[in-house]
Amino acid sequence: MKSTVERLSPTRVRINVEVPFDELKPDFDRAYRKIAQQVRIPGFRPGKAPARILEARLGRGVVLDEVVNAAIPAKYSEAVTSADEVNPIGRPDIEVTEIADGDHLAFTAEVDVRPEISLPDLDGITVTVDDVEVDEAAVKEELDNLRGRFGTLSGVERPAGDDDFVLLDLSATVDGEPVEEASTSGFSYQVGQGGLIDGLDEAVRGLSAGESATFTSQLVAGEFAGKDAEITAAVTAVKERELPEADDEFAQLASEFDTLDELTDDLRTRLGQVRRMEQVTQARDKVLEALVDATDVPLPESVVTAEVESRVHDAVHAFDHDDDRFTQFLDAQGKSREEFDADVRTEAERNVKTRLVLDALAEQEQVSVNDQELTERIIYQAQQYQMPPEEFVRRIQEAGQLGAVYSDVRRSKALIAAVAAATVTDESGGPVDLSDLIGSADESDESDESDAEQADAEQVDTEGASEADAAAVETAEESADADQTADDAAGTDGAGATEAEAPVQPEGGRAASDA
C-alpha cells in the first residue's frame, strides 16, 4: 500500500491511499463467504457457492462494493499509523477515486488533525488567588447551620416570613389549561430560599395558613416550557424552626467535643481547610485561563461544529426539540436565537481550544495514565450518574467513549503540572504552596474527585461522622461544585465528550457504489 499526506491547512490534511489488489485477497475471501451466506443459488448449499458462480449470478460490482467498503476503514487506519505527525481528531471524509479491477484501489481521506501548538513557559505564568481568611461571621454561620440540623419545627398562627417553613399546595394553568407536572400538594418550602419558582417567595411571604395567592411565572421545563403560567400557591400550614442553644450541652449532642469552644475551634479549622481548597480551585481556573489565553491555537472547524451541534442539541432537548418553543423561551429571556447561537459558538471555540492546549501540554510533559487512575475516574463518573460501575463501563464502551475518559484523566494531570509550575501568590503578596493539596502529575492517586472532597475524606470518617463533621463536609462539597465547574471549562467530562475525543471510524459505507 502507498500513501501520501497533503496538508490543506494547519488543522486539516488529505491522505491519498493506493492499495494493490494483491493486498485485498483476504477481503475478497471474506466478501465471497459473506455473500454466499446471504444468497440462495440452486444446486449449492448455503455458503458453498463458488466465487465465479456468485459473480456470474450477482455481478462483479456487488463483490467489489463489499470488498471496498470493508477494506477502506482498515487501510485508512494503516495509512494514519504510518504517517508522521498526523493525529486525526474527527471523522474523515472518504472518497473513492479509482477502482481499477484486478490492479488497484485508490481513495482519499480528508480529516481534521491536531494542529502544532507552541506553549508558553509554564514557570512564566503568574496568578493571584484570595487570601485564606476565616472570619468569625463565617464560623458563626457554620455553627448556626449545625444548630439547624437539630432544630425543631412548630406550627404558628401568624403570617409566613423569611426562614419560615410553609406547606404548600401548588397548581398551574397555561391559557386556562391545567399543567399537571407543575402541580403538587403538601410540599414543604422554606420562605426566602429561592430557586424553585420565580415569584414564589413574594407570593407566599405574608400568607397565613388557609390563605393563597396567584402569580404569573414562566415555566422552564415540560410541555409548556418558556410560556407564562398562572400559578396558585395555597398555604396549608406555617411553621417556624427553633434552634437549640449554642452551649456545651449542644456541643456534646452534635459532636465528639465536650465544650462549645472545642466545637467552634474545630469548625474554624475545617473552614480554613475549605478556604485552602478554594485557593486550589482559583489557582487551577486562573492558570488554565492564562495558559489558554497565551497560546495561539488554530481551531479544526469540524470539531468546533460538532461541539456547537452538541450544545444546541442539549439546549433544545428540554423543549422536545421544538425549535419554535425554544425560540419563544429565548425571547422571554430577552435573547434572540442569533445571540444564543453566537454565544454557543464562542463557548464551543473556547472549549475546543482548551482541550487542544491541555492535550499539547500532556504531550510536552509526557503525562501518562495508569489503570488505577482510569478505574478511579470511571468509578467516580459512575457515581455521578448513579450507575453501577460495570453498567457505566459497558455503556461508554458501546458508545466508543472509553478513550474520551482516558483523555479526561490525562488533561487533568496535565493541568496539575501547569499549576505546580506556575507562580501562585495570594492577595497579600505571599507565595502559595499548593503541592500538599494538588499532588503532581506523576502521582497515581489522581482521581476526578475534587480536591475539596479528597481533603475532607482524609479528615472525616464518613461512616461514623458526627453532625459537625457532616456540616463541614457539606461546606466542602460546595467548594467541590466550583471545582467541577473548572473541569467542565477544561472539557473534562468524559461522558459528554465530543467527536474530538471519539475513536476515529472512517465512514466508507457506500464508497465503492458512489465511485
Side-chain angles (χ1 to χ4, degrees):
M1 184 184 78
K2 295 185 291 185
S3 64
T4 59
V5 178
E6 299 177 58
R7 186 163 290 274
L8 305 178
S9 75
T11 63
R12 195 164 180 84
V13 300
R14 178 189 293 121
I15 304 175
N16 304 291
V17 182
E18 183 176 307
V19 186
F21 261 49
D22 289 345
E23 292 186 21
L24 297 178
K25 185 179 184 307
D27 298 282
F28 272 97
D29 292 340
R30 281 191 293 269
Y32 287 131
R33 289 195 299 268
K34 181 178 178 180
I35 294 172
Q37 291 288 345
Q38 295 174 341
V39 300
R40 294 292 180 265
I41 296 179
F44 296 95
R45 289 176 300 180
K48 299 300 182 179
R52 59 182 179 79
I53 299 297
L54 292 172
E55 290 189 7
R57 184 71 175 263
L58 303 175
R60 177 71 169 174
V62 173
V63 178
L64 288 177
D65 276 358
E66 183 65 36
V67 169
V68 171
N69 291 336
I72 281 181
K75 296 304 179 182
Y76 165 78
S77 296
E78 185 179 336
V80 167
T81 302
S82 63
D84 293 331
E85 299 182 356
V86 173
N87 298 302
I89 54 175
R91 295 185 182 278
D93 295 326
I94 292 178
E95 179 184 359
V96 175
T97 55
E98 184 179 8
I99 301 178
D101 195 3
D103 186 43
H104 68 271
L105 160 69
F107 66 91
T108 63
E110 289 191 17
V111 64
D112 280 338
V113 295
R114 296 191 186 282
E116 295 183 3
I117 297 175
S118 179
L119 296 170
D121 291 335
L122 297 180
D123 54 10
I125 296 177
T126 301
V127 300
T128 302
V129 296
D130 293 339
D131 292 329
V132 172
E133 295 181 348
V134 180
D135 56 32
E136 290 308 307
V139 177
K140 182 180 183 302
E141 182 180 358
E142 284 303 302
L143 180 60
D144 288 343
N145 289 339
L146 182 58
R147 292 168 63 201
R149 292 174 177 271
F150 290 85
T152 58
L153 296 179
S154 57
V156 293
E157 298 295 331
R158 61 168 174 78
D162 282 343
D163 297 328
D164 285 335
F165 286 81
V166 291
L167 289 181
L168 297 175
D169 291 341
L170 296 173
S171 60
T173 61
V174 173
D175 297 331
E177 183 179 347
V179 182
E180 294 298 330
E181 60 265 30
S183 301
T184 187
S185 61
F187 179 75
S188 179
Y189 178 75
Q190 187 176 16
V191 181
Q193 73 174 11
L196 183 63
I197 302 173
D198 287 342
L200 180 60
D201 286 322
E202 293 78 4
V204 301
R205 188 180 290 119
L207 295 184
S208 299
E211 296 179 338
S212 64
T214 299
F215 61 100
T216 301
S217 186
Q218 190 176 91
L219 301 178
V220 296
E223 181 182 356
F224 297 98
K227 293 190 176 181
D228 288 338
E230 293 297 312
I231 299 174
T232 299
V235 177
T236 60
V238 178
K239 299 181 180 182
E240 65 178 4
R241 182 169 59 180
E242 297 178 355
L243 302 182
E245 290 295 328
D247 52 22
D248 292 347
E249 183 179 348
F250 170 71
Q252 295 166 15
L253 171 67
S255 71
E256 70 272 26
F257 301 107
D258 294 327
T259 68
L260 181 63
D261 287 342
E262 291 175 327
L263 172 59
T264 304
D265 287 343
D266 183 68
L267 290 175
R268 187 179 293 107
T269 299
R270 292 178 181 278
L271 279 172
Q273 294 168 352
V274 171
R275 296 294 181 264
R276 287 213 68 200
M277 301 313 136
E278 291 171 349
Q279 276 192 331
V280 173
T281 301
Q282 267 196 319
R284 187 172 66 177
D285 290 350
K286 290 189 173 184
V287 168
L288 177 61
E289 182 179 8
L291 178 62
V292 173
D293 287 343
T295 308
D296 183 28
V297 180
L299 298 178
E301 182 56 34
S302 69
V303 179
V304 173
T305 299
E307 178 87 4
V308 169
E309 291 174 350
S310 175
R311 287 172 174 266
V312 172
H313 176 275
D314 291 344
V316 181
H317 178 73
F319 300 86
D320 295 328
H321 299 281
D322 187 326
D323 283 330
D324 290 338
R325 285 174 54 203
F326 180 60
T327 300
Q328 292 174 2
F329 172 75
L330 292 175
D331 290 341
Q333 301 297 315
K335 176 180 286 190
S336 68
R337 180 60 188 263
E338 290 74 19
E339 290 173 327
F340 170 80
D341 289 341
D343 289 345
V344 167
R345 174 81 185 187
T346 299
E347 293 170 0
E349 289 177 347
R350 182 71 177 186
N351 276 5
V352 171
K353 180 179 181 180
T354 299
R355 289 198 296 269
L356 291 173
V357 168
L358 290 177
D359 287 339
L361 179 61
E363 290 291 335
Q364 175 179 291
E365 299 298 315
Q366 297 183 334
V367 175
S368 61
V369 177
N370 60 39
D371 291 342
Q372 179 182 347
E373 292 164 338
L374 189 61
T375 300
E376 288 173 350
R377 175 61 64 95
I378 289 172
I379 291 174
Y380 177 73
Q381 290 189 344
Q383 291 172 343
Q384 295 296 97
Y385 286 93
Q386 299 181 341
M387 294 171 57
E390 298 81 4
E391 174 68 12
F392 184 76
V393 169
R394 184 184 66 79
R395 292 198 180 187
I396 62 175
Q397 285 179 331
E398 289 177 351
Q401 292 295 313
L402 191 57
V405 178
Y406 176 94
S407 297
D408 291 346
V409 181
R410 194 164 181 256
R411 290 178 189 135
S412 295
K413 295 182 69 175
L415 185 51
I416 287 175
V419 175
T423 300
V424 182
T425 58
D426 58 26
E427 292 287 355
S428 300
V432 178
D433 182 8
L434 303 174
S435 60
D436 60 323
L437 299 177
I438 65 174
S440 71
D442 295 329
E443 294 177 352
S444 61
D445 58 353
E446 167 71 13
S447 71
D448 194 54
E449 294 183 4
S450 70
D451 296 306
E453 291 172 314
Q454 289 177 347
D456 262 75
E458 295 171 0
Q459 297 292 329
V460 180
D461 177 1
T462 54
E463 294 211 9
S466 65
E467 289 292 339
D469 294 333
V473 171
E474 202 165 82
T475 305
E477 285 175 345
E478 293 175 0
S479 175
D481 289 338
D483 226 17
Q484 183 61 41
T485 301
D487 275 345
D488 294 339
T492 56
D493 180 5
T498 66
E499 197 170 13
E501 294 83 28
V504 177
Q505 296 290 341
E507 293 179 334
R510 288 176 53 85
S513 298
D514 293 342

